Amino acid sequence: MNTVVDKLFLDSASNKHLDWLESEAIHIMREVAAECANPALLFSGGKDSVVMLRLAEKAFRPGKFPFPLVHIDTGHNFDEVITFRDKRAAELGERLIVGSVEDSIKRGTVRLRNPLTDSRNAAQAVTLLETIAEHKFDACIGGARRDEEKARAKERIFSFRDEFGQWNPKAQRPELWDLYNTRVHPGENMRVFPISNWTELDVWQYIAREKLELPSIYFAHQREVIPRNGLLVPLTPLTPAKEGETVETQTVRFRTVGDISCTCPVSSDADSVEAIIAETAVTQITERGATRMDDQTSEASMEKRKKEGYF
């Protein structure tokens, strides 16, 4: 086949694949709306949650979403992402609830050695559980994917959490034939992952197909970074250079966004969605493995945090 025919065939196959993933995710979202009394959709402004918003639009528009948007804000997020979060929520006209780790620190439910500089990423679990309890959510929908990390791969689509908000991978409910058991007692809740079966490449292909807007830090830009332990740590007041380290200006982009204290960019000149798709198609390093300092402490880091209530 010539290159034009090849491209047409690949585009057609990709669209069919994305259609199937989209249909499954919309079905799951509608199941949540039908079966859960008071759900919420987690929205951070990151690429996966942007995809989740588009899926919610397709599932429920022209009506309002049957749930509010919720973000657990560490107070140490990238400005570009928070600005985008607020802008997108306003454009959709949907309610945005922000749970603040800073407020948890003031209440004394989160304690850090140095609240001004210590990573607040793990502390999000406490604030999330407090937000769930305050608003009596019985389900939280999020954009986690099984390909992100080993602990994520153990998740069911409907992930049961006990009255303490804890996750036990050995006590999850079966999901045969796409049948989901959503029943919970007061205080228990579900974490629901409609894009569990998507990959990072699927997400970027869907962003391209749907022409979705993203925070600018996902695309190649110049940034001061510190090479450290195989990662590129962004130079910020929260992540300064240590003694003996060098600061370099490199062209980088972020594959994932989160707390500044643990999220690193990767070296890249991909300045468009198409260029990112081409780059993602050949990468051999997982998204979190390439960008998250907190996941390098131990192979069990994520699983430990999830058992404590982390999303």
Side-chain angles (χ1 to χ4, degrees):
M1 290 193 291
N2 62 40
T3 55
V4 175
V5 175
D6 282 346
K7 186 176 187 305
L8 288 173
F9 174 78
L10 291 172
D11 287 348
S12 174
S14 176
N15 273 319
K16 286 181 180 179
H17 177 60
L18 292 177
D19 286 343
W20 184 90
L21 290 172
E22 178 188 76
S23 178
E24 179 190 49
I26 288 172
H27 166 69
I28 293 165
M29 280 198 173
R30 288 174 175 166
E31 281 287 297
V32 175
E35 298 293 335
C36 300
N38 187 28
L41 174 61
L42 299 185
F43 176 62
S44 65
K47 68 180 188 310
D48 298 311
S49 61
V50 167
V51 166
M52 295 291 290
L53 284 189
R54 174 50 56 89
L55 293 168
E57 287 184 276
K58 292 195 174 187
F60 304 112
R61 288 292 194 243
K64 297 281 286 183
F65 293 173
F67 35 65
L69 309 181
V70 172
H71 182 218
I72 305 304
D73 187 355
T74 66
H76 289 171
N77 297 98
F78 291 95
D79 291 339
E80 300 96 324
V81 180
I82 296 301
T83 298
F84 178 86
R85 178 202 70 185
D86 295 341
K87 171 177 171 287
R88 193 71 189 100
E91 290 171 348
L92 288 168
E94 298 292 346
R95 180 186 177 201
L96 174 64
I97 296 170
V98 178
S100 169
V101 173
E102 183 68 38
D103 289 344
S104 297
I105 292 172
K106 291 176 181 177
R107 284 191 293 267
T109 52
V110 166
R111 296 185 179 181
L112 301 172
R113 290 182 180 179
N114 189 335
L116 296 178
T117 58
D118 285 358
S119 176
R120 300 181 177 187
N121 194 51
Q124 289 180 89
V126 174
T127 307
L128 174 59
L129 294 178
E130 290 175 342
T131 304
I132 289 171
E134 178 184 353
H135 296 277
K136 296 180 170 60
F137 294 130
D138 60 348
C140 288
I141 312 165
R145 309 184 320 271
R146 290 188 178 121
D147 77 323
E148 287 182 83
E149 199 270 343
K150 291 179 180 179
R152 299 270 198 221
K154 296 180 182 180
E155 286 280 17
R156 298 285 197 267
I157 289 175
F158 278 76
S159 179
F160 173 75
R161 304 299 172 99
D162 65 21
E163 65 271 24
F164 301 105
Q166 295 181 329
W167 172 69
N168 181 352
K170 296 181 180 180
Q172 295 301 302
R173 298 167 177 178
E175 293 179 339
L176 301 175
W177 307 297
D178 294 335
L179 297 176
Y180 307 113
N181 180 352
T182 63
R183 285 174 288 187
V184 294
H185 293 108
E188 299 172 342
N189 67 87
M190 287 287 182
R191 310 289 172 85
V192 185
F193 307 109
I195 62 171
S196 284
N197 292 325
W198 297 45
T199 65
E200 184 183 7
L201 182 59
D202 295 327
V203 167
W204 280 108
Q205 288 176 326
Y206 192 76
I207 288 167
R209 188 177 83 169
E210 300 295 314
K211 298 179 173 60
L212 301 180
E213 185 182 358
L214 292 172
S216 60
I217 64 174
Y218 275 109
F219 302 97
H221 59 282
Q222 293 275 299
R223 184 178 290 265
E224 288 186 306
V225 295
I226 309 152
R228 180 185 300 165
N229 298 328
L231 299 175
L232 298 177
V233 178
L235 179 66
T236 73
L238 293 171
T239 52
K242 298 177 181 179
E243 185 177 353
E245 291 184 327
T246 59
V247 176
E248 303 175 1
T249 299
Q250 293 194 24
T251 303
V252 299
R253 68 177 180 88
F254 286 83
R255 287 175 66 182
T256 184
V257 296
D259 191 273
I260 289 173
S261 64
C262 63
T263 307
C264 298
V266 295
S267 180
S268 172
D269 59 2
D271 58 0
S272 68
V273 173
E274 291 73 21
I276 291 173
I277 289 172
E279 194 173 86
T280 303
V282 298
T283 188
Q284 296 182 343
I285 304 176
T286 64
E287 182 178 329
R288 296 187 69 92
T291 64
R292 300 303 290 264
M293 285 182 274
D294 52 338
D295 287 342
Q296 289 201 331
T297 57
S298 158
E299 286 195 353
S301 293
M302 171 64 82
E303 183 158 333
K304 181 177 182 294
R305 292 200 302 275
K306 285 171 67 63
K307 288 179 178 178
E308 295 171 348
Y310 191 80
F311 197 79

